[in-house]
Amino acid sequence: MCQHQPPCPTADSADRESARLVAHHPEQGWSLLCNGVVLFEDTGELLPDGQIIAPHRPLDTSRVMTAA
């Protein structure tokens, strides 16, 4: 699928999110990568085989603001 040199990581690689963008639709909240992975704005992913990767945003509780 990928024609880049060096080739982009495959959809089953741990670094799959570093593949190049093929289509980017921020108004709809998703992007398509060269390896066939669809990335969603909430950090979820849809792999080419239909597998769903749940959103995996870091939870940084040290930045939670409280009312004074």
Side-chain angles (χ1 to χ4, degrees):
M1 184 181 218
C2 177
Q3 301 299 315
H4 300 114
Q5 290 302 323
C8 292
T10 62
D12 57 352
S13 298
D15 60 344
R16 65 180 157 260
E17 296 173 8
S18 64
R20 294 190 190 189
L21 284 174
V22 173
H24 182 60
H25 294 278
E27 72 283 359
Q28 296 176 359
W30 63 274
S31 299
L32 175 64
L33 301 181
C34 179
N35 57 10
V37 173
V38 178
L39 291 178
F40 294 97
E41 170 178 279
D42 68 355
T43 70
E45 302 173 20
L46 178 61
L47 303 185
D49 65 1
Q51 182 181 355
I52 297 170
I53 306 296
H56 48 278
R57 289 182 274 199
L59 298 175
D60 185 3
T61 58
S62 66
R63 293 185 178 255
V64 174
M65 297 183 68
T66 59

